[in-house]
Amino acid sequence: MKYTSFLIKYGEIGVKGKNRYKFEDALMKQIRIALKPLSCDFRVSRELGRIYVDADDDCYDDEDVIDALCRVFGIVAVCPVVRIESKDFENLKKAVIEYFDRAYPDKAVSFKVDTKRADKSYEKTSEQLNALLGEAILETFCETRVDVHKPDVLIKVEIRNHINIYSLSLPGPGGMPVGTNGKAMLLLSGGIDSPVAGYMIAKRGVKIEAVYFHAPPYTSERAKIKVIELARTMARYTGVINLNIINFTDIQLYIYEKCPHDELTIIMRRYMMKIAQQIAKTNGDLALITGESVGQVASQTVHSLAVTDNVCEMPVFRPLIGFDKQEIITVAQKIGTFETSIEPYEDCCTIFVAKHPVTKPQLEKILESEKKLSEKIDDLIKSAVDTKERILCSAK
Ligand code: ATP
Ligand code: MG
């Protein structure tokens, strides 16, 4: 059955008090952006704590609309509805029977009618409507039966300024609409974790941009393409991602030449954070995001994280900090980044990684080692930032 209206249910926005309309506006904006690729005319409107998407023409597929809406942060459920404007009871009865007939070709099902009356002035009570509409369905389709406890089909009828009839409620991602909570810079590698970390923070309404540290010829062009692919997959949820690609080779070689090899990773990570922070500040981002999780590798022990954090002046969001790898993989599979993440292209950290990296680095010792870089490091950072490549990654 083809639907022309979709009722959007949202969660947390509803408790935002006086600011609620701002969050609703942001959600409506994100819904319009999500539907744009379908190249069809959709009207997005709001009415009494509800948002509706109505199609003006017939050039879309329901599944595509639902798929796009179910990726918009802030949406808790999408309900394909039949909307009727006339509230006359006979008309309602006819519409409910027609809905049941079209939505459920197999009539050998149990059902329950569940009416909610936001318009209390309506001529019949919810109980009366449940009984009368249920009776009408039973009389028309003799194979059906009523089951008020565990029905196969729940027919919801909402009496508002108009009437909604629906039974499906498809889960959205929840969270807050992108753009309602500032902007942050994601350190995006080609691995499994960082796309998930970006997704989780974007889900809280944060607009994401990203930085990738590339080390040609030690990392291939294909590794860079993989990161672009990941950003494009994430963009299906987050909207367009501005991806900054930094050539990190000279900095890595310089650290490799000057510093103890067991400290390479931690020192490299500190410079990644520094550079990411520098670009973030210029672009008005208020925080950094990484895919780190306590204890996952040597650079993610509590000691290492503390030493890394020491170079950061802005907050670093690490949403995966308490996650096990399998939990991260489950989210990666759900959002569609996993298959790309496991493609076997080297990322820059694995090339320069020591056999036995320090797991309990001491800040004083690391600062001492970094002094050996003082001659050239500022120039190298400047040149890496000045020559950064910028790619706008839109949803694929
Ligand atoms: P991931 O699966 O996200 O690559 P990982 O398990 O490989 O993580 P690390 O390589 O230690 O772990 O990286 C930790 C975090 O540092 C990553 O989640 C990412 O946020 C950031 N990071 C690592 N390498 C890069 C890179 N080349 N460019 C940008 N960010 C990076
Ligand atoms: Mg990695």
Side-chain angles (χ1 to χ4, degrees):
M1 148 168 198
K2 178 133 182 160
Y3 292 91
T4 56
S5 280
F6 302 85
L7 161 62
I8 307 296
K9 292 185 177 170
Y10 51 76
E12 269 182 70
I13 300 174
V15 297
K16 290 290 170 198
K18 276 189 191 155
N19 281 333
R20 172 176 169 159
Y21 75 95
K22 283 193 193 153
F23 287 88
E24 285 178 349
D25 283 347
L27 182 55
M28 288 164 73
K29 181 176 166 196
Q30 293 305 320
I31 289 174
R32 290 190 185 101
I33 292 173
L35 294 173
K36 212 164 186 181
L38 300 185
S39 316
C40 205
D41 274 341
F42 291 102
R43 249 176 314 120
V44 183
S45 58
R46 102 182 91 194
E47 187 210 289
L48 301 171
R50 288 288 172 80
I51 290 174
Y52 292 94
V53 172
D54 293 288
D56 284 337
D57 50 30
D58 197 25
C59 60
Y60 62 94
D61 189 330
D62 282 5
E63 303 251 323
D64 294 339
V65 177
I66 291 166
D67 184 50
L69 292 172
C70 286
R71 276 186 270 113
V72 176
F73 294 136
I75 294 182
V76 167
V78 177
C79 310
V81 298
V82 167
R83 257 174 90 126
I84 50 172
E85 301 302 329
S86 152
K87 299 208 299 198
D88 166 69
F89 175 70
E90 285 307 313
N91 190 49
L92 168 61
K93 199 162 92 178
K94 207 169 124 237
V96 167
I97 290 170
E98 199 180 305
Y99 171 80
F100 191 89
D101 194 21
R102 288 176 58 207
Y104 299 98
D106 175 10
K107 302 291 180 295
V109 290
S110 63
F111 74 94
K112 174 185 171 180
V113 178
D114 178 22
T115 308
K116 285 217 165 48
R117 214 172 43 132
D119 171 9
K120 299 290 179 205
S121 67
Y122 193 69
E123 59 185 281
K124 292 184 169 49
T125 65
S126 301
E127 288 73 28
Q128 286 170 335
L129 286 167
N130 288 344
L132 289 168
L133 295 172
E135 215 174 273
I137 293 174
L138 279 176
E139 275 170 13
T140 315
F141 308 107
C142 53
E143 310 98 290
T144 57
R145 63 197 163 80
V146 171
D147 184 340
V148 289
H149 300 296
K150 275 193 178 168
D152 298 326
V153 172
L154 187 65
I155 309 272
K156 295 197 178 221
V157 177
E158 290 183 346
I159 316 282
R160 302 170 76 90
N161 288 344
H162 57 271
I163 298 179
N164 291 329
I165 307 168
Y166 64 99
S167 45
L168 290 176
S169 184
L170 306 148
M176 305 290 290
V178 168
T180 54
N181 226 334
K183 213 153 70 87
M185 174 69 81
L186 168 68
L187 282 86
L188 180 61
S189 71
I192 297 168
D193 308 332
S194 42
V196 173
Y199 168 88
M200 287 177 72
I201 297 298
K203 186 175 166 189
R204 298 305 306 159
V206 179
K207 178 79 189 152
I208 299 286
E209 70 170 323
V211 57
Y212 167 59
F213 295 92
H214 188 40
Y218 302 95
T219 55
S220 65
E221 190 62 16
R222 196 61 190 79
K224 179 170 129 183
I225 292 169
K226 178 181 169 183
V227 173
I228 297 170
E229 287 272 300
L230 286 172
R232 293 192 63 194
T233 306
M234 289 174 68
R236 284 157 51 86
Y237 295 90
T238 63
V240 176
I241 295 180
N242 173 19
L243 174 65
N244 300 275
I245 299 178
I246 295 281
N247 187 325
F248 202 50
T249 312
D250 290 344
I251 296 174
Q252 266 186 312
L253 288 173
Y254 191 48
I255 300 172
Y256 192 72
E257 181 194 328
K258 299 282 183 187
C259 299
H261 286 188
D262 62 346
E263 294 174 358
L264 286 181
T265 308
I266 189 82
I267 294 176
M268 239 165 50
R269 295 204 49 75
R270 282 167 53 89
Y271 281 103
M272 279 187 185
M273 295 301 237
K274 257 189 199 170
I275 294 172
Q277 186 166 253
Q278 195 173 321
I279 308 171
K281 271 188 194 162
T282 315
N283 295 3
D285 304 331
L286 298 173
L288 300 178
I289 306 164
T290 75
E292 290 160 308
S293 140
V294 166
Q296 198 186 71
V297 286
S299 63
Q300 294 173 33
T301 61
V302 174
H303 299 76
S304 299
L305 291 169
V307 171
T308 306
D309 247 14
N310 174 265
V311 288
C312 302
E313 292 157 29
M314 51 175 65
V316 182
F317 298 153
R318 297 179 169 96
L320 307 181
I321 202 73
F323 276 43
D324 291 348
K325 197 74 187 187
Q326 189 52 51
E327 291 170 310
I328 302 171
I329 289 174
T330 304
V331 184
Q333 286 169 328
K334 189 184 87 181
I335 65 176
T337 52
F338 183 71
E339 289 303 321
T340 310
S341 289
I342 58 173
E343 285 174 10
Y345 307 103
E346 298 283 11
D347 79 21
C348 62
C349 305
T350 55
I351 306 264
F352 289 93
V353 91
K355 276 214 177 70
H356 300 289
V358 280
T359 52
K360 291 185 181 174
Q362 288 166 7
L363 182 60
E364 296 70 29
K365 214 166 153 269
I366 298 294
L367 292 172
E368 210 47 49
S369 300
E370 285 180 356
K371 279 188 190 156
K372 298 179 191 137
L373 304 170
S374 60
E375 191 191 337
K376 286 201 216 160
I377 195 75
D378 288 346
D379 288 344
L380 290 177
I381 291 177
K382 182 170 182 319
S383 136
V385 172
D386 287 349
T387 58
K388 71 174 187 294
E389 190 185 347
R390 195 167 157 262
I391 298 179
L392 284 182
C393 303
S394 46
K396 61 170 191 175

